[in-house]
PDB file of all heavy atoms in Angstrom:
ATOM      1  N   ILE L   1       0.811  -1.216  -0.001  1.00  0.00           N
ATOM      2  CA  ILE L   1      -0.023   0.003   0.006  1.00  0.00           C
ATOM      3  C   ILE L   1       0.841   1.266   0.004  1.00  0.00           C
ATOM      4  O   ILE L   1       1.810   1.406   0.768  1.00  0.00           O
ATOM      5  CB  ILE L   1      -0.921   0.008   1.225  1.00  0.00           C
ATOM      6  CG1 ILE L   1      -1.952  -1.114   1.129  1.00  0.00           C
ATOM      7  CG2 ILE L   1      -1.615   1.360   1.402  1.00  0.00           C
ATOM      8  CD1 ILE L   1      -2.779  -1.310   2.420  1.00  0.00           C
ATOM      9  N   VAL L   2       0.422   2.242  -0.842  1.00  0.00           N
ATOM     10  CA  VAL L   2       0.859   3.628  -0.817  1.00  0.00           C
ATOM     11  C   VAL L   2      -0.418   4.412  -0.542  1.00  0.00           C
ATOM     12  O   VAL L   2      -1.452   4.134  -1.138  1.00  0.00           O
ATOM     13  CB  VAL L   2       1.467   4.059  -2.165  1.00  0.00           C
ATOM     14  CG1 VAL L   2       1.767   5.540  -2.180  1.00  0.00           C
ATOM     15  CG2 VAL L   2       2.709   3.221  -2.487  1.00  0.00           C
ATOM     16  N   THR L   3      -0.359   5.347   0.411  1.00  0.00           N
ATOM     17  CA  THR L   3      -1.587   6.062   0.764  1.00  0.00           C
ATOM     18  C   THR L   3      -1.535   7.533   0.344  1.00  0.00           C
ATOM     19  O   THR L   3      -0.448   8.154   0.294  1.00  0.00           O
ATOM     20  CB  THR L   3      -1.826   6.034   2.270  1.00  0.00           C
ATOM     21  OG1 THR L   3      -0.787   6.726   2.951  1.00  0.00           O
ATOM     22  CG2 THR L   3      -1.944   4.613   2.800  1.00  0.00           C
ATOM     23  N   ILE L   4      -2.742   8.064   0.051  1.00  0.00           N
ATOM     24  CA  ILE L   4      -2.947   9.493  -0.178  1.00  0.00           C
ATOM     25  C   ILE L   4      -4.220   9.895   0.548  1.00  0.00           C
ATOM     26  O   ILE L   4      -5.219   9.235   0.462  1.00  0.00           O
ATOM     27  CB  ILE L   4      -3.125   9.808  -1.662  1.00  0.00           C
ATOM     28  CG1 ILE L   4      -1.787   9.569  -2.418  1.00  0.00           C
ATOM     29  CG2 ILE L   4      -3.593  11.230  -1.869  1.00  0.00           C
ATOM     30  CD1 ILE L   4      -1.873   9.799  -3.908  1.00  0.00           C
ATOM     31  N   LYS L   5      -4.129  11.005   1.272  1.00  0.00           N
ATOM     32  CA  LYS L   5      -5.324  11.609   1.891  1.00  0.00           C
ATOM     33  C   LYS L   5      -5.522  12.941   1.183  1.00  0.00           C
ATOM     34  O   LYS L   5      -4.626  13.799   1.151  1.00  0.00           O
ATOM     35  CB  LYS L   5      -5.129  11.819   3.382  1.00  0.00           C
ATOM     36  CG  LYS L   5      -6.369  12.318   4.098  1.00  0.00           C
ATOM     37  CD  LYS L   5      -6.145  12.314   5.572  1.00  0.00           C
ATOM     38  CE  LYS L   5      -7.371  12.787   6.336  1.00  0.00           C
ATOM     39  NZ  LYS L   5      -8.492  11.890   6.266  1.00  0.00           N
ATOM     40  N   CYS L   6      -6.704  13.115   0.584  1.00  0.00           N
ATOM     41  CA  CYS L   6      -7.002  14.334  -0.140  1.00  0.00           C
ATOM     42  C   CYS L   6      -8.511  14.553  -0.130  1.00  0.00           C
ATOM     43  O   CYS L   6      -9.272  13.649   0.117  1.00  0.00           O
ATOM     44  CB  CYS L   6      -6.465  14.266  -1.557  1.00  0.00           C
ATOM     45  SG  CYS L   6      -7.124  12.885  -2.512  1.00  0.00           S
ATOM     46  N   PHE L   7      -8.919  15.740  -0.392  1.00  0.00           N
ATOM     47  CA  PHE L   7     -10.363  16.043  -0.442  1.00  0.00           C
ATOM     48  C   PHE L   7     -10.668  16.896  -1.656  1.00  0.00           C
ATOM     49  O   PHE L   7     -10.241  18.042  -1.748  1.00  0.00           O
ATOM     50  CB  PHE L   7     -10.799  16.773   0.838  1.00  0.00           C
ATOM     51  CG  PHE L   7     -12.312  16.932   0.934  1.00  0.00           C
ATOM     52  CD1 PHE L   7     -13.128  15.867   1.197  1.00  0.00           C
ATOM     53  CD2 PHE L   7     -12.890  18.176   0.648  1.00  0.00           C
ATOM     54  CE1 PHE L   7     -14.487  16.018   1.271  1.00  0.00           C
ATOM     55  CE2 PHE L   7     -14.261  18.340   0.718  1.00  0.00           C
ATOM     56  CZ  PHE L   7     -15.071  17.255   1.007  1.00  0.00           C
ATOM     57  N   GLU L   8     -11.329  16.275  -2.623  1.00  0.00           N
ATOM     58  CA  GLU L   8     -11.761  16.950  -3.834  1.00  0.00           C
ATOM     59  C   GLU L   8     -10.599  17.565  -4.621  1.00  0.00           C
ATOM     60  O   GLU L   8     -10.798  18.540  -5.366  1.00  0.00           O
ATOM     61  CB  GLU L   8     -12.882  17.958  -3.530  1.00  0.00           C
ATOM     62  CG  GLU L   8     -14.109  17.297  -2.970  1.00  0.00           C
ATOM     63  CD  GLU L   8     -15.233  18.245  -2.653  1.00  0.00           C
ATOM     64  OE1 GLU L   8     -15.134  19.449  -2.906  1.00  0.00           O
ATOM     65  OE2 GLU L   8     -16.281  17.740  -2.169  1.00  0.00           O
ATOM     66  N   ASP L   9      -9.416  17.023  -4.450  1.00  0.00           N
ATOM     67  CA  ASP L   9      -8.221  17.478  -5.154  1.00  0.00           C
ATOM     68  C   ASP L   9      -7.352  16.276  -5.411  1.00  0.00           C
ATOM     69  O   ASP L   9      -6.795  15.699  -4.476  1.00  0.00           O
ATOM     70  CB  ASP L   9      -7.515  18.529  -4.283  1.00  0.00           C
ATOM     71  CG  ASP L   9      -6.194  19.015  -4.900  1.00  0.00           C
ATOM     72  OD1 ASP L   9      -5.731  18.465  -5.912  1.00  0.00           O
ATOM     73  OD2 ASP L   9      -5.625  19.966  -4.328  1.00  0.00           O
ATOM     74  N   ASN L  10      -7.171  15.884  -6.684  1.00  0.00           N
ATOM     75  CA  ASN L  10      -6.415  14.697  -7.002  1.00  0.00           C
ATOM     76  C   ASN L  10      -4.985  14.999  -7.459  1.00  0.00           C
ATOM     77  O   ASN L  10      -4.363  14.173  -8.110  1.00  0.00           O
ATOM     78  CB  ASN L  10      -7.125  13.829  -8.002  1.00  0.00           C
ATOM     79  CG  ASN L  10      -7.091  14.391  -9.401  1.00  0.00           C
ATOM     80  OD1 ASN L  10      -6.740  15.532  -9.612  1.00  0.00           O
ATOM     81  ND2 ASN L  10      -7.497  13.574 -10.363  1.00  0.00           N
ATOM     82  N   SER L  11      -4.427  16.141  -7.067  1.00  0.00           N
ATOM     83  CA  SER L  11      -3.092  16.512  -7.483  1.00  0.00           C
ATOM     84  C   SER L  11      -2.051  15.431  -7.138  1.00  0.00           C
ATOM     85  O   SER L  11      -1.226  15.065  -7.949  1.00  0.00           O
ATOM     86  CB  SER L  11      -2.660  17.827  -6.832  1.00  0.00           C
ATOM     87  OG  SER L  11      -3.565  18.874  -7.241  1.00  0.00           O
ATOM     88  N   LEU L  12      -2.122  14.905  -5.897  1.00  0.00           N
ATOM     89  CA  LEU L  12      -1.196  13.847  -5.476  1.00  0.00           C
ATOM     90  C   LEU L  12      -1.439  12.540  -6.192  1.00  0.00           C
ATOM     91  O   LEU L  12      -0.506  11.788  -6.496  1.00  0.00           O
ATOM     92  CB  LEU L  12      -1.257  13.642  -3.965  1.00  0.00           C
ATOM     93  CG  LEU L  12      -0.422  14.575  -3.118  1.00  0.00           C
ATOM     94  CD1 LEU L  12      -0.644  14.276  -1.620  1.00  0.00           C
ATOM     95  CD2 LEU L  12       1.051  14.487  -3.458  1.00  0.00           C
ATOM     96  N   VAL L  13      -2.684  12.222  -6.488  1.00  0.00           N
ATOM     97  CA  VAL L  13      -3.013  11.024  -7.237  1.00  0.00           C
ATOM     98  C   VAL L  13      -2.355  11.098  -8.605  1.00  0.00           C
ATOM     99  O   VAL L  13      -1.686  10.168  -9.035  1.00  0.00           O
ATOM    100  CB  VAL L  13      -4.529  10.833  -7.378  1.00  0.00           C
ATOM    101  CG1 VAL L  13      -4.851   9.616  -8.264  1.00  0.00           C
ATOM    102  CG2 VAL L  13      -5.191  10.682  -5.989  1.00  0.00           C
ATOM    103  N   ALA L  14      -2.476  12.268  -9.253  1.00  0.00           N
ATOM    104  CA  ALA L  14      -1.876  12.442 -10.590  1.00  0.00           C
ATOM    105  C   ALA L  14      -0.339  12.296 -10.533  1.00  0.00           C
ATOM    106  O   ALA L  14       0.245  11.671 -11.370  1.00  0.00           O
ATOM    107  CB  ALA L  14      -2.248  13.827 -11.114  1.00  0.00           C
ATOM    108  N   GLU L  15       0.279  12.792  -9.478  1.00  0.00           N
ATOM    109  CA  GLU L  15       1.706  12.625  -9.332  1.00  0.00           C
ATOM    110  C   GLU L  15       2.117  11.189  -9.122  1.00  0.00           C
ATOM    111  O   GLU L  15       3.040  10.687  -9.773  1.00  0.00           O
ATOM    112  CB  GLU L  15       2.233  13.469  -8.121  1.00  0.00           C
ATOM    113  CG  GLU L  15       2.251  14.939  -8.348  1.00  0.00           C
ATOM    114  CD  GLU L  15       2.700  15.678  -7.092  1.00  0.00           C
ATOM    115  OE1 GLU L  15       3.348  15.062  -6.203  1.00  0.00           O
ATOM    116  OE2 GLU L  15       2.386  16.883  -6.997  1.00  0.00           O
ATOM    117  N   GLN L  16       1.401  10.482  -8.237  1.00  0.00           N
ATOM    118  CA  GLN L  16       1.785   9.129  -7.890  1.00  0.00           C
ATOM    119  C   GLN L  16       1.632   8.134  -9.030  1.00  0.00           C
ATOM    120  O   GLN L  16       2.466   7.293  -9.219  1.00  0.00           O
ATOM    121  CB  GLN L  16       1.049   8.654  -6.662  1.00  0.00           C
ATOM    122  CG  GLN L  16       1.545   9.244  -5.380  1.00  0.00           C
ATOM    123  CD  GLN L  16       3.027   8.988  -5.190  1.00  0.00           C
ATOM    124  OE1 GLN L  16       3.446   7.838  -5.036  1.00  0.00           O
ATOM    125  NE2 GLN L  16       3.847  10.035  -5.191  1.00  0.00           N
ATOM    126  N   VAL L  17       0.531   8.218  -9.779  1.00  0.00           N
ATOM    127  CA  VAL L  17       0.326   7.212 -10.844  1.00  0.00           C
ATOM    128  C   VAL L  17       1.331   7.385 -11.967  1.00  0.00           C
ATOM    129  O   VAL L  17       1.508   6.467 -12.789  1.00  0.00           O
ATOM    130  CB  VAL L  17      -1.109   7.227 -11.392  1.00  0.00           C
ATOM    131  CG1 VAL L  17      -2.099   6.839 -10.311  1.00  0.00           C
ATOM    132  CG2 VAL L  17      -1.474   8.569 -12.041  1.00  0.00           C
ATOM    133  N   LYS L  18       2.033   8.509 -11.973  1.00  0.00           N
ATOM    134  CA  LYS L  18       3.077   8.733 -13.000  1.00  0.00           C
ATOM    135  C   LYS L  18       4.450   8.244 -12.530  1.00  0.00           C
ATOM    136  O   LYS L  18       5.441   8.391 -13.258  1.00  0.00           O
ATOM    137  CB  LYS L  18       3.110  10.217 -13.383  1.00  0.00           C
ATOM    138  CG  LYS L  18       1.812  10.636 -14.090  1.00  0.00           C
ATOM    139  CD  LYS L  18       1.769  12.123 -14.318  1.00  0.00           C
ATOM    140  CE  LYS L  18       0.410  12.522 -14.915  1.00  0.00           C
ATOM    141  NZ  LYS L  18       0.242  13.952 -14.920  1.00  0.00           N
ATOM    142  N   THR L  19       4.531   7.669 -11.308  1.00  0.00           N
ATOM    143  CA  THR L  19       5.771   7.075 -10.826  1.00  0.00           C
ATOM    144  C   THR L  19       5.676   5.565 -10.938  1.00  0.00           C
ATOM    145  O   THR L  19       4.591   4.997 -11.156  1.00  0.00           O
ATOM    146  CB  THR L  19       5.980   7.462  -9.342  1.00  0.00           C
ATOM    147  OG1 THR L  19       4.975   6.859  -8.519  1.00  0.00           O
ATOM    148  CG2 THR L  19       5.988   8.945  -9.146  1.00  0.00           C
ATOM    149  N   ALA L  20       6.806   4.904 -10.740  1.00  0.00           N
ATOM    150  CA  ALA L  20       6.855   3.430 -10.857  1.00  0.00           C
ATOM    151  C   ALA L  20       5.991   2.808  -9.750  1.00  0.00           C
ATOM    152  O   ALA L  20       6.249   3.031  -8.558  1.00  0.00           O
ATOM    153  CB  ALA L  20       8.286   2.944 -10.765  1.00  0.00           C
ATOM    154  N   GLY L  21       4.988   2.041 -10.154  1.00  0.00           N
ATOM    155  CA  GLY L  21       4.113   1.393  -9.197  1.00  0.00           C
ATOM    156  C   GLY L  21       4.672   0.121  -8.611  1.00  0.00           C
ATOM    157  O   GLY L  21       4.408  -0.222  -7.460  1.00  0.00           O
ATOM    158  N   ASN L  22       5.464  -0.599  -9.384  1.00  0.00           N
ATOM    159  CA  ASN L  22       6.109  -1.823  -8.901  1.00  0.00           C
ATOM    160  C   ASN L  22       5.104  -2.777  -8.275  1.00  0.00           C
ATOM    161  O   ASN L  22       5.386  -3.425  -7.247  1.00  0.00           O
ATOM    162  CB  ASN L  22       7.229  -1.507  -7.943  1.00  0.00           C
ATOM    163  CG  ASN L  22       8.304  -0.692  -8.578  1.00  0.00           C
ATOM    164  OD1 ASN L  22       8.720  -0.941  -9.723  1.00  0.00           O
ATOM    165  ND2 ASN L  22       8.795   0.346  -7.881  1.00  0.00           N
ATOM    166  N   GLY L  23       3.896  -2.887  -8.832  1.00  0.00           N
ATOM    167  CA  GLY L  23       2.879  -3.825  -8.312  1.00  0.00           C
ATOM    168  C   GLY L  23       2.213  -3.392  -7.049  1.00  0.00           C
ATOM    169  O   GLY L  23       1.542  -4.191  -6.378  1.00  0.00           O
ATOM    170  N   ARG L  24       2.367  -2.104  -6.659  1.00  0.00           N
ATOM    171  CA  ARG L  24       1.736  -1.633  -5.458  1.00  0.00           C
ATOM    172  C   ARG L  24       0.318  -1.195  -5.693  1.00  0.00           C
ATOM    173  O   ARG L  24      -0.145  -1.142  -6.800  1.00  0.00           O
ATOM    174  CB  ARG L  24       2.576  -0.469  -4.877  1.00  0.00           C
ATOM    175  CG  ARG L  24       3.943  -0.895  -4.380  1.00  0.00           C
ATOM    176  CD  ARG L  24       4.775   0.261  -3.889  1.00  0.00           C
ATOM    177  NE  ARG L  24       5.028   1.133  -5.043  1.00  0.00           N
ATOM    178  CZ  ARG L  24       5.560   2.353  -4.936  1.00  0.00           C
ATOM    179  NH1 ARG L  24       5.859   2.823  -3.747  1.00  0.00           N
ATOM    180  NH2 ARG L  24       5.735   3.114  -6.002  1.00  0.00           N
ATOM    181  N   VAL L  25      -0.389  -0.932  -4.592  1.00  0.00           N
ATOM    182  CA  VAL L  25      -1.787  -0.457  -4.643  1.00  0.00           C
ATOM    183  C   VAL L  25      -1.882   0.937  -4.013  1.00  0.00           C
ATOM    184  O   VAL L  25      -1.408   1.092  -2.881  1.00  0.00           O
ATOM    185  CB  VAL L  25      -2.729  -1.405  -3.898  1.00  0.00           C
ATOM    186  CG1 VAL L  25      -4.174  -0.911  -3.868  1.00  0.00           C
ATOM    187  CG2 VAL L  25      -2.665  -2.815  -4.517  1.00  0.00           C
ATOM    188  N   LEU L  26      -2.444   1.865  -4.728  1.00  0.00           N
ATOM    189  CA  LEU L  26      -2.660   3.207  -4.250  1.00  0.00           C
ATOM    190  C   LEU L  26      -4.008   3.282  -3.540  1.00  0.00           C
ATOM    191  O   LEU L  26      -5.036   2.958  -4.151  1.00  0.00           O
ATOM    192  CB  LEU L  26      -2.618   4.179  -5.421  1.00  0.00           C
ATOM    193  CG  LEU L  26      -2.636   5.683  -5.102  1.00  0.00           C
ATOM    194  CD1 LEU L  26      -1.473   6.085  -4.213  1.00  0.00           C
ATOM    195  CD2 LEU L  26      -2.688   6.493  -6.382  1.00  0.00           C
ATOM    196  N   VAL L  27      -3.992   3.634  -2.248  1.00  0.00           N
ATOM    197  CA  VAL L  27      -5.235   3.766  -1.484  1.00  0.00           C
ATOM    198  C   VAL L  27      -5.436   5.225  -1.216  1.00  0.00           C
ATOM    199  O   VAL L  27      -4.605   5.899  -0.620  1.00  0.00           O
ATOM    200  CB  VAL L  27      -5.146   2.963  -0.160  1.00  0.00           C
ATOM    201  CG1 VAL L  27      -6.454   3.140   0.631  1.00  0.00           C
ATOM    202  CG2 VAL L  27      -4.876   1.477  -0.415  1.00  0.00           C
ATOM    203  N   VAL L  28      -6.569   5.747  -1.711  1.00  0.00           N
ATOM    204  CA  VAL L  28      -6.864   7.161  -1.671  1.00  0.00           C
ATOM    205  C   VAL L  28      -8.062   7.427  -0.757  1.00  0.00           C
ATOM    206  O   VAL L  28      -9.148   6.906  -0.992  1.00  0.00           O
ATOM    207  CB  VAL L  28      -7.163   7.712  -3.082  1.00  0.00           C
ATOM    208  CG1 VAL L  28      -7.467   9.219  -3.015  1.00  0.00           C
ATOM    209  CG2 VAL L  28      -6.032   7.406  -4.038  1.00  0.00           C
ATOM    210  N   ASP L  29      -7.858   8.241   0.309  1.00  0.00           N
ATOM    211  CA  ASP L  29      -8.919   8.628   1.184  1.00  0.00           C
ATOM    212  C   ASP L  29      -9.390  10.004   0.735  1.00  0.00           C
ATOM    213  O   ASP L  29      -8.771  11.022   1.044  1.00  0.00           O
ATOM    214  CB  ASP L  29      -8.434   8.649   2.615  1.00  0.00           C
ATOM    215  CG  ASP L  29      -9.500   9.070   3.616  1.00  0.00           C
ATOM    216  OD1 ASP L  29     -10.611   9.509   3.171  1.00  0.00           O
ATOM    217  OD2 ASP L  29      -9.241   9.013   4.834  1.00  0.00           O
ATOM    218  N   GLY L  30     -10.497  10.001   0.012  1.00  0.00           N
ATOM    219  CA  GLY L  30     -11.079  11.265  -0.451  1.00  0.00           C
ATOM    220  C   GLY L  30     -12.260  11.718   0.406  1.00  0.00           C
ATOM    221  O   GLY L  30     -13.055  12.524  -0.015  1.00  0.00           O
ATOM    222  N   GLY L  31     -12.325  11.140   1.622  1.00  0.00           N
ATOM    223  CA  GLY L  31     -13.389  11.554   2.539  1.00  0.00           C
ATOM    224  C   GLY L  31     -14.761  11.103   2.108  1.00  0.00           C
ATOM    225  O   GLY L  31     -15.777  11.540   2.674  1.00  0.00           O
ATOM    226  N   GLY L  32     -14.840  10.230   1.084  1.00  0.00           N
ATOM    227  CA  GLY L  32     -16.119   9.759   0.614  1.00  0.00           C
ATOM    228  C   GLY L  32     -16.949  10.750  -0.157  1.00  0.00           C
ATOM    229  O   GLY L  32     -18.115  10.517  -0.429  1.00  0.00           O
ATOM    230  N   SER L  33     -16.359  11.857  -0.505  1.00  0.00           N
ATOM    231  CA  SER L  33     -17.106  12.935  -1.186  1.00  0.00           C
ATOM    232  C   SER L  33     -17.594  12.533  -2.575  1.00  0.00           C
ATOM    233  O   SER L  33     -16.817  12.096  -3.431  1.00  0.00           O
ATOM    234  CB  SER L  33     -16.212  14.185  -1.344  1.00  0.00           C
ATOM    235  OG  SER L  33     -16.933  15.179  -2.076  1.00  0.00           O
ATOM    236  N   PRO L  34     -18.886  12.687  -2.827  1.00  0.00           N
ATOM    237  CA  PRO L  34     -19.444  12.368  -4.140  1.00  0.00           C
ATOM    238  C   PRO L  34     -19.457  13.592  -5.092  1.00  0.00           C
ATOM    239  O   PRO L  34     -19.963  13.509  -6.191  1.00  0.00           O
ATOM    240  CB  PRO L  34     -20.892  11.994  -3.820  1.00  0.00           C
ATOM    241  CG  PRO L  34     -21.239  12.835  -2.613  1.00  0.00           C
ATOM    242  CD  PRO L  34     -19.944  12.959  -1.806  1.00  0.00           C
ATOM    243  N   ARG L  35     -18.836  14.707  -4.656  1.00  0.00           N
ATOM    244  CA  ARG L  35     -18.913  15.922  -5.477  1.00  0.00           C
ATOM    245  C   ARG L  35     -17.873  16.026  -6.550  1.00  0.00           C
ATOM    246  O   ARG L  35     -18.059  16.722  -7.549  1.00  0.00           O
ATOM    247  CB  ARG L  35     -18.836  17.128  -4.559  1.00  0.00           C
ATOM    248  CG  ARG L  35     -20.044  17.230  -3.607  1.00  0.00           C
ATOM    249  CD  ARG L  35     -20.010  18.486  -2.803  1.00  0.00           C
ATOM    250  NE  ARG L  35     -18.740  18.679  -2.116  1.00  0.00           N
ATOM    251  CZ  ARG L  35     -18.601  19.469  -1.081  1.00  0.00           C
ATOM    252  NH1 ARG L  35     -19.636  20.152  -0.616  1.00  0.00           N
ATOM    253  NH2 ARG L  35     -17.442  19.601  -0.497  1.00  0.00           N
ATOM    254  N   ARG L  36     -16.709  15.359  -6.367  1.00  0.00           N
ATOM    255  CA  ARG L  36     -15.588  15.479  -7.310  1.00  0.00           C
ATOM    256  C   ARG L  36     -14.978  14.101  -7.555  1.00  0.00           C
ATOM    257  O   ARG L  36     -14.843  13.280  -6.660  1.00  0.00           O
ATOM    258  CB  ARG L  36     -14.488  16.398  -6.789  1.00  0.00           C
ATOM    259  CG  ARG L  36     -14.933  17.812  -6.489  1.00  0.00           C
ATOM    260  CD  ARG L  36     -15.042  18.613  -7.741  1.00  0.00           C
ATOM    261  NE  ARG L  36     -15.489  19.962  -7.428  1.00  0.00           N
ATOM    262  CZ  ARG L  36     -15.537  20.947  -8.331  1.00  0.00           C
ATOM    263  NH1 ARG L  36     -15.139  20.702  -9.526  1.00  0.00           N
ATOM    264  NH2 ARG L  36     -15.965  22.108  -7.964  1.00  0.00           N
ATOM    265  N   SER L  37     -14.571  13.874  -8.790  1.00  0.00           N
ATOM    266  CA  SER L  37     -13.882  12.649  -9.184  1.00  0.00           C
ATOM    267  C   SER L  37     -12.422  12.708  -8.789  1.00  0.00           C
ATOM    268  O   SER L  37     -11.740  13.716  -9.067  1.00  0.00           O
ATOM    269  CB  SER L  37     -14.044  12.428 -10.651  1.00  0.00           C
ATOM    270  OG  SER L  37     -13.155  11.459 -11.098  1.00  0.00           O
ATOM    271  N   LEU L  38     -11.870  11.648  -8.218  1.00  0.00           N
ATOM    272  CA  LEU L  38     -10.463  11.596  -7.877  1.00  0.00           C
ATOM    273  C   LEU L  38      -9.629  10.798  -8.871  1.00  0.00           C
ATOM    274  O   LEU L  38      -8.428  10.744  -8.746  1.00  0.00           O
ATOM    275  CB  LEU L  38     -10.281  11.062  -6.449  1.00  0.00           C
ATOM    276  CG  LEU L  38     -10.890  11.945  -5.376  1.00  0.00           C
ATOM    277  CD1 LEU L  38     -10.717  11.306  -3.988  1.00  0.00           C
ATOM    278  CD2 LEU L  38     -10.255  13.321  -5.389  1.00  0.00           C
TER     279      LEU L  38
END
């Protein structure tokens, strides 16, 4: 696991998916908000 905590802002998600994943899983805590796509 690699973790990201963000709210209605996927800037870190965009950065991380552009790095070597090496078979890891990105877990994103967006606070459950249905207002914005992460």
